């Protein structure tokens, strides 16, 4: 045995002899009182814990009973989508059992995510993931929960009319069975239920179309395939339409959406629901751009608490027995190319980031407008269109060679002359631009007449032809969005009033056929103008020009001081 492991003698407590008499302590009165009080406190705490546990279990029981009563009430009012299992049925009084038990249940949620989606209580829920998981079907069934209430107003949206037709067809199979007497009025594209409740099925394509819902109120709003929207604008706007004056519905205001991974809007859905927290758990809603949580305002009794909660419920094909039964659909999804297979079979959102500039962040690249120093060189770039929009961008180059896009003109159906007038008007108070660049195809001539570029130049708006190399242009935007290691700031910033540039940088998707380029089918006029601007050699010239100007100014100053002229 080594010295280190040998037991140490004379250390620790000496062991008592087994037959030693018990030691007695004499405590002071104060100490006795303190110990007694502590014991009483401990006992009281134990009793309180017991009572809290009992209260909690009674509360749970009461909530269950409440749910059951709610279900039975709905069933008695004729709702055939509410499932009452045999265990629950046996606890009801016999006449109620007879009425409720003889109903034909027309919709029973699939166990798992679909069931969770249909019973989720958060204000805003995304049910997203694999194809065929039962998402659209669940979205159709969800608003039926409140159709026994005469004040229920539901709004179910898809991006285009064709896609909406498919949903309407499915609703025709489900709704009249769930609520006998429910009628679909074609002219208004609305389901009317016997209670007076309504669900409006409509489409919403462009951002500006949201004005159709101005002044309207809905207590349930749903969008099927929400990633078809390039930005969160529509979803954010619809939140302002979510309200009800009915006390029951006020407690049940819901926004529900479904999606497959990817798509033009995959980037913001990922940011809003998927990357933000644990899946299948509620999390406080926040602004998708700034990441700041929405909180109850100052002065409200809930001041500082989350305004509402969101939740993401992942969908899996394996949860839908209706499509899994013969394995055909699964086999078909397995045969897809890897990326599509991962997205549609495995519901993988990470391979679905369709945005061409995922590094673009409003918090970092978008700034409030400010007065630009007049000695920052100005540049102007444009993409011309008549039926499709023309976009003209103005930029300024600072002393560190960073570009600030400070103005945007985004107009449709203007001839070359009219556009030239608008440009001159906008530039009235600007220093003269040092460099101007226009889509080089504007020099193309179809006959003997002047080209678009020539026409504008005749009106006093000068241009040079752009470099149209798409891949290089995209790379240049990436380079400018990245931080400059000298300043830790990006080399490109956009004023917030240039809304189309901001929108397109945030949302323009990658091409499906060429991952080096953006999707040319997406709206890209501001993107193209920006590309032309950044592909000029102006930024290099500007830096030299600025240095020369600085030297010139110093020379003038010295001359002035020395010779007085
Ligand atoms: N609870 C259910 N009861 C009966 N049928 C169901 C149920 N859930 C899903 N289905 C059936 O499964 C089919 C596929 O479901 P659904 O169209 O909702 O899938 P999805 O997740 O929206 O697919 P995609 O991602 O392709 O849009 C539906 O057409 C429907 O017939
Ligand atoms: Mg679907």
């Amino acid at each position: 045995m080594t010295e280190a492991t040998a037991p140490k003698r004379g250390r620790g407590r000496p062991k008592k002899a087994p037959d030693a008499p018990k030691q007695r302590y004499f405590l002071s009165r104060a100490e006795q009182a303190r110990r007694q009080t502590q014991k009483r406190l401990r006992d009281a705490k134990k009793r309180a814990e017991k009572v809290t546990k009992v209260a909690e279990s009674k509360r749970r029981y009461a909530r269950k009973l409440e749910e059951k009563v709610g279900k039975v009430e709905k069933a008695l009012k004729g709702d055939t989508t509410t499932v009452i299992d045999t265990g629950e049925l046996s606890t009801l009084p016999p006449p109620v059992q007879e009425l409720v038990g003889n109903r034909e249940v027309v919709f029973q949620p699939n166990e798992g995510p679909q069931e969770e989606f249909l019973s989720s209580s958060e204000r805003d829920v995304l049910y997203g993931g694999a194809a065929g998981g039962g998402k659209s079907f669940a979205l159709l069934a969800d608003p039926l929960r409140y159709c026994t209430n005469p004040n229920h107003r539901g709004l179910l949206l898809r991006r285009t009319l064709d896609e909406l037709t498919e949903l309407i067809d499915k609703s025709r199979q489900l709704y009249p069975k769930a609520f006998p007497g429910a009628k679909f009025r074609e002219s208004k594209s609305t389901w009317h239920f016997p209670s007076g409740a309504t669900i409006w099925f409509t489409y919403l394509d462009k951002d500006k179309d949201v004005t159709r819902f101005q002044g309207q109120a809905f207590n349930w709003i749903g969008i099927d395939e929400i990633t078809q929207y390039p930005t969160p604008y529509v979803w954010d706007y619809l939140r302002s339409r979510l309200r009800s004056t009915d006390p029951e519905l006020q407690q049940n205001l819901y926004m529900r959406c479904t999606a497959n991974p990817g798509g033009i809007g995959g980037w913001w859905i990922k940011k809003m629901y998927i990357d933000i927290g644990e899946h299948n758990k509620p999390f406080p809603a926040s602004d998708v751009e700034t990441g700041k949580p929405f909180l109850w305002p100052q002065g409200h009794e809930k001041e500082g608490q989350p305004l509402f909660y969101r939740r993401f419920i992942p969908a899996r094909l394996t949860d839908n027995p209706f499509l899994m039964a013969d394995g055909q659909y699964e086999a078909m999804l397995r045969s897809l190319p890897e990326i599509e297979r991962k997205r549609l079979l495995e519901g993988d959102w990470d391979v679905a980031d369709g945005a061409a500039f995922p590094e673009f962040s409003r918090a970092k690249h978008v700034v409030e407008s400010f007065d630009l120093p007049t000695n920052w060189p100005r540049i102007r770039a444009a993409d011309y269109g008549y039926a499709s929009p023309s976009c003209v961008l103005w930029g300024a180059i600072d002393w560190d060679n960073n570009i600030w896009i400070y103005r945007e003109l985004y107009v449709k159906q203007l001839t070359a002359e009219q556009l030239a007038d608008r440009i001159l008007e906008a530039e009235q108070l600007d220093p003269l631009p040092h460099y101007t660049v226009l889509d080089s195809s504007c020099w193309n001539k179809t006959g003997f007449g002047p080209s678009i570029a020539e026409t504008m130049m005749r009106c006093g708006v000068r241009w040079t032809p752009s470099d149209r190399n798409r891949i290089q242009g995209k790379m240049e935007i990436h380079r400018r969005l990245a931080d400059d290691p000298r300043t830790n700031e990006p080399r490109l910033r956009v004023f917030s009033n240039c809304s189309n540039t901001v929108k397109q940088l945030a949302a323009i998707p990658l091409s499906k056929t060429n991952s080096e380029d953006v999707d040319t089918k997406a709206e890209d006029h501001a993107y193209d103008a920006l590309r032309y601007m950044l592909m000029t050699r102006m930024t290099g010239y500007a830096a030299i020009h600025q240095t020369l100007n600085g030297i010139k100014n110093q020379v003038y100053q010295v001359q002035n001081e020395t010779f007085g002229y």
Side-chain angles (χ1 to χ4, degrees), residues 122-327:
E122 294 74 28
R123 171 73 52 92
D124 179 350
V125 179
L126 163 71
Y127 184 19
K135 304 180 297 292
S136 304
F137 208 67
L139 193 70
L140 269 180
D142 197 61
L144 292 179
R145 280 200 256 180
Y146 310 99
C147 280
T148 46
N149 185 319
N151 296 319
H152 172 55
R153 297 287 170 268
L155 171 67
L156 186 47
L157 296 162
R158 280 228 49 170
R159 187 150 185 205
T160 66
L161 189 59
D162 285 345
E163 293 154 342
L164 182 73
T165 314
E166 196 192 323
L167 271 187
I168 294 175
D169 288 346
K170 279 196 181 164
S171 73
R172 284 183 203 276
Q173 294 163 15
L174 183 65
Y175 287 9
K177 272 198 215 157
F179 286 89
K183 294 237 152 39
F184 185 66
R185 302 231 168 102
E186 295 272 358
S187 59
K188 299 215 161 137
S189 191
T190 302
W191 277 99
H192 290 256
F193 293 86
S195 67
T198 60
I199 305 176
W200 182 19
F201 279 59
T202 188
Y203 66 96
L204 173 53
D205 189 3
K206 300 263 159 32
D207 285 359
K208 62 180 167 44
D209 299 339
V210 294
T211 47
R212 281 168 59 217
F213 306 105
Q214 221 166 14
Q216 307 211 38
F218 305 94
N219 57 290
W220 187 97
I221 299 175
I223 295 189
D224 194 27
E225 295 300 349
I226 195 166
T227 47
Q228 290 180 349
Y229 292 92
T231 70
Y233 179 81
V234 163
W235 200 224
D236 282 339
Y237 177 86
L238 289 171
R239 205 162 56 239
S240 73
R241 305 293 97 218
L242 190 72
R243 58 172 195 243
S244 173
T245 47
D246 183 288
E248 185 205 14
L249 298 174
Q250 266 172 0
Q251 303 306 316
N252 292 295
L253 298 173
Y254 296 120
M255 294 186 79
R256 297 287 180 261
C257 54
T258 69
N260 293 131
I264 194 168
W267 68 273
W268 68 267
I269 285 292
K270 202 163 170 274
K271 247 182 173 175
M272 189 183 274
Y273 297 94
I274 289 132
D275 294 341
I276 199 156
E278 226 179 308
H279 297 174
N280 233 336
K281 295 257 160 65
F283 58 89
S286 56
D287 186 303
V288 77
E289 294 307 336
T290 62
K292 286 192 186 143
F294 297 126
L295 302 175
W296 284 95
Q298 237 180 3
H300 194 275
E301 62 179 73
K302 291 187 187 166
E303 181 184 331
Q305 290 180 32
L307 190 59
F308 63 95
Y309 283 82
R310 288 195 172 120
R311 185 167 160 197
F312 163 55
I313 300 180
R316 294 167 304 220
L317 174 63
T318 44
D319 298 316
N320 184 5
F322 296 92
L323 275 187
M324 277 303 282
D326 61 0

Side-chain angles (χ1 to χ4, degrees), residues 84 96 132 154 168 196 249 267 272 299 316 327 376 457 523 525 539 564:
I84 299 176
V96 181
I168 294 175
L249 298 174
W267 68 273
M272 189 183 274
R316 294 167 304 220
W376 286 8
M457 286 204 266
E523 191 164 345
H525 308 287
T539 53

